[in-house]
Amino acid sequence: MIDPENPVVRLCAEGIAAEGQGRHEDAAALYREAWATHTDDYEACIAAHYLAREQESLQESLTWNQAALDHALAVEEERIAGFLPSLYLNLGWSHEVLGDPVTARACYLAGAARVAGLPAGGYTDVVRDGIERGLARTQG
């Protein structure tokens, strides 16, 4: 479970709110502050995940999506299991839009293998749908 009192989580939540208000520069600044504040791989994963959303280039987004996954994989599985399918989905999307459908598909498959363990609900539905669409686009 994500601790809403964690300083990195709090900064990312503020960034999400800023994004929702169309204040993308403010959101990016909050995500950079979250990155500068992280103290472990778990927090780094969260900050990198959100930093990927506010990059000026697709390549920079890929770099941050990869960093998010790399940091997540350094965290004990039970602490990050609910987040992994989304990280694989985002990394797959980055590879796909940059023209690497083979790597994208591998990411989508890794996400699909982990999404079954998520609890039912809106978040899981969105992630599952994104993975299924990614797999459909990259088949063949």
Side-chain angles (χ1 to χ4, degrees), residues 20-49:
Q21 297 167 353
R23 299 181 1 243
H24 295 280
E25 289 180 20
D26 293 340
L30 287 160
Y31 299 148
R32 286 191 299 272
E33 186 178 349
W35 177 257
T37 303
H38 82 269
T39 60
D40 62 15
D41 285 311
Y42 179 77
E43 291 175 349
C45 163
I46 293 169
H49 170 71

Side-chain angles (χ1 to χ4, degrees), residues 19-81:
E19 277 186 55
Q21 297 167 353
R23 299 181 1 243
H24 295 280
E25 289 180 20
D26 293 340
L30 287 160
Y31 299 148
R32 286 191 299 272
E33 186 178 349
W35 177 257
T37 303
H38 82 269
T39 60
D40 62 15
D41 285 311
Y42 179 77
E43 291 175 349
C45 163
I46 293 169
H49 170 71
Y50 288 102
L51 269 165
R53 295 162 51 141
E54 290 295 335
Q55 296 303 307
E56 292 186 16
S57 76
L58 295 172
Q59 185 61 49
E60 290 171 319
S61 290
L62 170 67
T63 299
W64 284 107
N65 278 323
Q66 185 66 60
L69 179 62
D70 291 345
H71 284 286
L73 294 176
V75 176
E76 52 278 359
E77 176 97 19
E78 64 275 358
R79 189 170 181 203
I80 202 75

